[in-house]
Amino acid sequence: MYEGGFAELYDRFYRGRGKDYAAEAAQVARLVRDRLPSASSLLDVACGTGTHLRRFADLFDDVAGLELSAAMIEVARPQLGGIPVLQGDMRDFALDREFDAVTCMFSSIGHMRDGAELDQALASFARHLAPGGVVVVEPWWFPEDFLDGYVAGDVVRDGDLTISRVSHSVRAGGATRMEIHWVVADAVNGPRHHVEHYEITLFERQQYEKAFTAAGCAVQYLEGGPSGRGLFVGVRG
C-alpha cells in the first residue's frame, strides 16, 4: 500500500472528492431535533476516520464515536481534539450510557451479513438511546435499486498525493460484491496499486423497518439522503 495506510487514504480521498460532511451532519441534526428538540448528545456508530463526527461536535454538546477498525481509530483520534472514539462492534457494544441520538452513516449498516445481525445492530442502537431518542441510519441500496455491474471511478489530488479509485459492483445472491482498485502516486514513490473486496448486504426496505420495530423504535424512511440511498429515522418509544 503506501506509508499512511488505507485508513488515511480513505480520509484523503473523500475529502478530495468533495463529500460535504458538514452539510450531511446538519441534515441529520435537523432530523433529530425535529423529533427531539432538546437533543444534546450523539453517538456516531461506525464513525470511521471521524469526519462526520467532527461536524456533529459543532452541532451537539456531547458526542462520541464507535468504530470497529483499529486503523480507522488511529487516524481519527488525532483529528478529533479529545472527542472519545471507542472500539466496538455495532452488533453488541455496551457503553453503559444513553444518548439523545445514535447515527450510522455511509451505508456501514450494510456490512451486517443477514437479518439476524441487522436486528442485533438496531437493538444495540436502541439500548443506547434515551427515551424519545432518535436513531438515523443510512442504508445500502435496496435490491430493486442496485445496478448490477456498476462501475464508478474518480481521481482526486490531495496535497502531494494523486489518488485514483475505480470500483466494480455485482450482485452475488442477496449481496453486493464490490472490487475496488486504488492507484496512489506521489513524486517520490510513484504509483502504487492496492485492491480491496467487500460484500455489502442488499437488505429489503421491510427488513430495515422490521429491525427498527423489533428494537422498539417507530421508523420512517426518507428518500434522497446524502448519497441517494435515503435515510431511516427511528424514535425510541
Side-chain angles (χ1 to χ4, degrees), residues 19-51:
K19 185 172 175 65
D20 194 341
Y21 290 93
E24 293 179 14
Q27 178 186 16
V28 170
R30 285 193 298 271
L31 292 174
V32 169
R33 292 204 170 101
D34 282 347
R35 292 154 178 83
L36 185 65
S38 63
S40 62
S41 60
L42 179 144
L43 174 68
D44 189 25
V45 176
C47 67
T49 57
T51 319

Side-chain angles (χ1 to χ4, degrees), residues 62-83:
D62 176 14
V63 299
L66 183 87
E67 172 57 45
L68 183 61
S69 165
M72 290 285 187
I73 294 171
E74 186 177 353
V75 172
R77 281 178 174 159
Q79 305 181 75
L80 290 174
I83 296 170

Side-chain angles (χ1 to χ4, degrees), residues 134-148:
V134 183
V135 57
V136 180
V137 173
E138 183 178 7
W140 183 237
W141 297 110
F142 302 142
E144 64 271 21
D145 297 325
F146 173 67
L147 298 177
D148 195 11

Side-chain angles (χ1 to χ4, degrees), residues 211-235:
F212 273 87
T213 300
C217 296
V219 61
Q220 181 181 14
Y221 174 69
L222 304 175
E223 295 185 352
S227 304
R229 295 185 285 270
L231 291 169
F232 285 99
V233 184
V235 179

Side-chain angles (χ1 to χ4, degrees), residues 177-229:
R177 183 170 294 154
M178 183 184 296
E179 182 174 296
I180 304 172
H181 288 250
W182 298 87
V183 178
V184 186
D186 61 44
V188 175
N189 299 293
R192 285 135 293 161
H193 180 219
H194 176 69
V195 181
E196 292 189 307
H197 297 88
Y198 291 108
E199 284 207 0
I200 310 173
T201 305
L202 291 163
F203 291 114
E204 302 274 358
R205 173 175 167 176
Q206 292 78 8
Q207 288 179 280
Y208 287 106
E209 292 170 340
K210 174 179 172 292
F212 273 87
T213 300
C217 296
V219 61
Q220 181 181 14
Y221 174 69
L222 304 175
E223 295 185 352
S227 304
R229 295 185 285 270

